[in-house]
Amino acid sequence: MSKTYTTIQGDMWDLIAYKVYGNEVYMTDLLEANEQYKATSVFPAGVVLTCPEIPVKRSRIAPPWKG
């Protein structure tokens, strides 16, 4: 189940990704889930965005039985 995020004035895709996921690299996932806003660079307040679940990536360092 996806969560939502309601923007505040001045939010941008990378900042929203950082706030929601803790890392800006997930900005692409947010864009894909909210294509109707893909032309928006800086958001006004009150836009409700869908925040998809991000699959947990396995560490390549951990042994297989810890996966």
Side-chain angles (χ1 to χ4, degrees):
M1 182 174 166
S2 298
K3 294 193 259 183
T4 60
Y5 174 82
T6 304
T7 62
I8 59 171
Q9 179 68 38
D11 270 345
M12 296 188 305
W13 289 108
D14 57 343
L15 179 60
I16 297 167
Y18 184 78
K19 287 179 181 179
V20 174
Y21 302 113
N23 197 324
E24 297 91 353
V25 299
Y26 298 113
M27 178 177 94
T28 304
D29 297 282
L30 281 172
L31 277 162
E32 289 174 358
N34 299 281
E35 290 201 16
Q36 67 273 33
Y37 299 111
K38 67 181 178 184
T40 304
S41 298
V42 180
F43 284 92
V47 176
V48 179
L49 300 174
T50 300
C51 302
E53 299 226 6
I54 304 297
V56 178
K57 294 182 181 176
R58 288 184 172 180
S59 170
R60 295 179 190 235
I61 299 171
W65 64 86
K66 286 196 164 192

